């Protein structure tokens, strides 16, 4: 059967999602837990790889298994073999033609940061720190320029191949959480390598007066990475939600 997992993890201690020789990764820990829990070597297929230090609130991945354990019980069993900063929130059987990566229709990322002249230990796990002269209103005003379908080559780091750099952003908001804390939320049909972190870095630069809000449309049109802002720190980024148009669930059969 094919099982869909919903996974939450704090990425601080991991070199991203994907298995890498000699490095601790989320996928590596998950597949080791599957082998211990189910007695099988199973390859997991994720909605999208996250980089080193990036977190996930509800990542999605599927794998195929011959286990007789009820699919909704697999999450509980896997968590017994996972480190405390990785948790499977839900496990469910899906149709054999479901693909956690290729069936994605929308993803939402959040980027959190705070303005302070010193590091704040209780925030530093999931928030980045920016300059104290950050202007929330300027940055929020600039968000609107990212909406719609654009060639986002200016907001893509080199290092990964992609057929096209055109993406659609359906929603983007910047919220003031109080006490100089802020949260950027971006929903799109897909994202390029480091795209959300570069958008966040560009908006932070707008808020700090390094880039003018009115220049964002031209930066997008230029398709030149050097024109956009810095790549914001990984620790502020969280994959918040993965959406699928249709997920065909398979009712639990009588299993162990």
């Amino acid at each position: 059967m094919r099982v869909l997992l919903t996974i939450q993890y704090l990425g601080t201690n991991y070199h991203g999602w994907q298995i890498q020789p000699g490095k601790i990764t989320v996928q590596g820990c998950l597949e080791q837990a599957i082998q211990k829990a189910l007695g099988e070597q199973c390859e997991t297929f994720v909605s999208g790889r996250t980089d080193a230090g990036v977190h996930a609130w509800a990542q999605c991945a599927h794998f195929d298994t011959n286990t007789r354990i009820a699919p909704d019980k697999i999450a509980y069993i896997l968590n017994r073999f996972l480190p405390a900063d990785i948790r499977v929130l839900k496990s469910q059987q899906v149709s054999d033609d479901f693909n956690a990566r290729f069936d994605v229709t929308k993803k939402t990322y959040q980027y959190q940061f705070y303005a302070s002249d010193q590091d704040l230990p209780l925030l530093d796990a999931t928030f980045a720190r920016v300059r104290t002269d950050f202007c929330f209103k300027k940055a929020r005003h600039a968000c609107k320029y990212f909406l719609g379908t654009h060639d986002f080559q200016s907001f893509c780091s080199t290092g990964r191949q992609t057929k096209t750099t055109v993406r659609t952003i359906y929603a983007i908001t910047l919220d003031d959480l109080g006490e100089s804390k802020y949260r950027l939320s971006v929903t799109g049909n897909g994202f390029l390598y480091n795209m959300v972190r570069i958008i966040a870095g560009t908006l932070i630069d707008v808020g700090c007066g390094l880039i003018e809000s009115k220049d964002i449309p031209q930066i997008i049109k230029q398709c030149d990475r050097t024109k956009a802002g810095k790549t914001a720190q990984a620790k502020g980024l969280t994959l918040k939600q993965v959406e699928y148009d249709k997920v065909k669930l398979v009712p639990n059969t009588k299993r162990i």
Side-chain angles (χ1 to χ4, degrees):
M1 64 177 171
R2 180 157 295 183
V3 176
L4 173 63
L5 304 177
T6 303
I7 311 150
Q8 185 171 123
Y9 52 85
L10 185 68
T12 306
N13 296 321
Y14 300 96
H15 291 270
W17 168 271
Q18 188 177 20
I19 290 177
Q20 302 174 57
K23 294 183 178 180
I24 301 174
T25 67
V26 179
Q27 184 184 23
C29 290
L30 181 61
E31 291 186 5
Q32 288 175 16
I34 292 173
Q35 184 174 9
K36 291 176 181 177
L38 307 183
E40 297 177 87
Q41 286 189 327
C42 300
E43 184 178 3
T44 55
F45 299 88
V46 72
S47 72
R49 294 172 290 183
T50 51
D51 293 328
V54 175
H55 322 292
W57 185 265
Q59 175 68 279
C60 292
H62 80 260
F63 71 98
D64 295 330
T65 175
N66 293 313
T67 185
R68 297 299 299 169
I69 298 172
D72 61 336
K73 304 298 183 184
I74 290 175
Y76 171 77
I77 298 172
L78 289 181
N79 286 334
R80 293 167 54 190
F81 298 97
L82 285 167
D85 50 5
I86 302 175
R87 278 293 172 266
V88 179
L89 305 181
K90 183 190 297 184
S91 57
Q92 52 194 328
Q93 185 177 358
V94 292
S95 60
D96 291 343
D97 60 352
F98 173 83
N99 189 292
R101 176 186 175 188
F102 295 115
D103 290 347
V104 173
T105 56
K106 292 182 182 179
K107 287 184 183 179
T108 298
Y109 280 91
Q110 291 184 340
Y111 194 86
Q112 299 184 130
F113 57 98
Y114 67 93
S116 174
D117 59 1
Q118 60 183 340
D119 292 332
L120 301 177
L122 293 182
L123 292 181
D124 276 338
T126 57
F127 281 73
R129 180 167 70 89
V130 302
R131 290 167 22 178
T132 55
D133 59 353
F134 174 78
C135 177
F136 167 72
K137 290 183 179 179
K138 287 182 179 180
R140 182 176 61 179
H141 179 264
C143 287
K144 64 183 180 181
Y145 297 115
F146 292 99
L147 283 169
T149 301
H150 307 282
D151 187 333
F152 282 100
Q153 189 173 341
S154 293
F155 298 86
C156 175
S157 294
T158 58
R160 289 188 186 174
Q161 300 297 321
T162 182
K163 291 182 179 180
T164 175
T165 50
V166 175
R167 297 291 187 272
T168 300
I169 291 183
Y170 301 113
I172 178 169
T173 58
L174 181 63
D175 297 315
D176 186 341
L177 305 180
E179 298 181 329
S180 298
K181 300 192 299 289
Y182 308 96
R183 178 183 294 138
L184 174 70
S185 296
V186 187
T187 300
N189 65 347
F191 295 94
L192 302 168
Y193 183 38
N194 283 341
M195 179 174 161
V196 178
R197 288 170 61 190
I198 298 171
I199 290 175
T202 301
L203 290 173
I204 290 169
D205 281 354
V206 169
C208 292
L210 302 177
I211 295 176
E212 292 293 326
S213 174
K214 62 181 177 61
D215 293 335
I216 298 296
Q218 186 61 27
I219 292 173
I220 294 174
K221 289 180 181 179
Q222 287 177 307
C223 292
D224 183 348
R225 172 67 188 93
T226 65
K227 303 300 182 182
K230 62 183 178 296
T231 303
Q233 291 176 286
K235 65 180 181 179
L237 185 63
T238 299
L239 173 60
K240 178 65 175 179
Q241 185 178 18
V242 180
E243 297 181 55
Y244 301 95
D245 267 350
K246 295 180 180 179
V247 179
K248 185 178 178 182
L249 300 178
V250 178
N252 280 344
T253 56
K254 188 174 182 180
R255 296 174 182 266
I256 299 174

